[in-house]
Amino acid sequence: MDGGLQAIHLQYLAFGALWTVCLSLIAFVGGSIAGGLVALARISPNRLVRWAAIAWIQLIQGTPLLVVLFLSYFGLSIAGLELPALVAAGIAMVVYVSAYLGEIWRGCIEAVPRTQWEAAECLAMSRTQRMRLVILPQAVRIATPPTVGFMVQIVKNTSLASIVGFVELVRSGQLINNSIFQPFQVYLLIAVFYFALCYPLSVWSRRLEQRLNFAKT
């Protein structure tokens, strides 16, 4: 094998990009479920539930994702749970995403005008009915642009999973660079792959935000 980039290297990077997308989807789906629960807990009438949600958000947002990855991979193994790198990285990403999406969605729920809450109360709806039929449908519309925008951060933060041995895009590039020793070309290609993954999401987020602002006027 000569010392330059070959087609097999590009295929390997594409394979790593595919695993980046898979980990991003795991993080987004799992984090959305957990983040929805966190957001609802944040606006719960029960003070203990609210404070538990606040403590969770502050703890995760105040902890670097790299530390969460280490705790998920090495900490659980010390406790006797030998997890594959994908599972450990997925757990860490879900925990990370749940705190941020939970806070984003909490703000979007509270951004629904108070008149909507009061109108639902006047119709003698229960709290569950108010949330399901009146508040959440409007909050989802408000939350869509920032949620799509946050997906860009999810994709980029999957690069930290390489630290626990998960072979995603960055780790694929590291392995290739270890064999051909051309870091500039390899990491430039990695940047191109990330741009191809993130730029459409950024454009989509901006268009959704513009559409929402236009609908408000």
Side-chain angles (χ1 to χ4, degrees), residues 7-17 167-168 171-173 175-176:
I8 190 171
H9 296 139
L10 295 178
Q11 294 175 2
Y12 194 63
L13 282 175
F15 184 73
V167 184
E168 39 66 68
R171 183 59 178 164
S172 299
L175 295 174
I176 293 172

Side-chain angles (χ1 to χ4, degrees), residues 173-189:
Q174 290 173 344
L175 295 174
I176 293 172
N177 184 60
N178 290 341
S179 65
I180 64 174
F181 302 105
Q182 294 184 359
F184 180 79
Q185 295 182 20
V186 171
Y187 286 102
L188 181 61
L189 279 173

Side-chain angles (χ1 to χ4, degrees), residues 47 52 108 112-113 134 150 202:
R47 180 178 298 179
C108 294
V112 175
V134 179
F150 184 70
S202 299

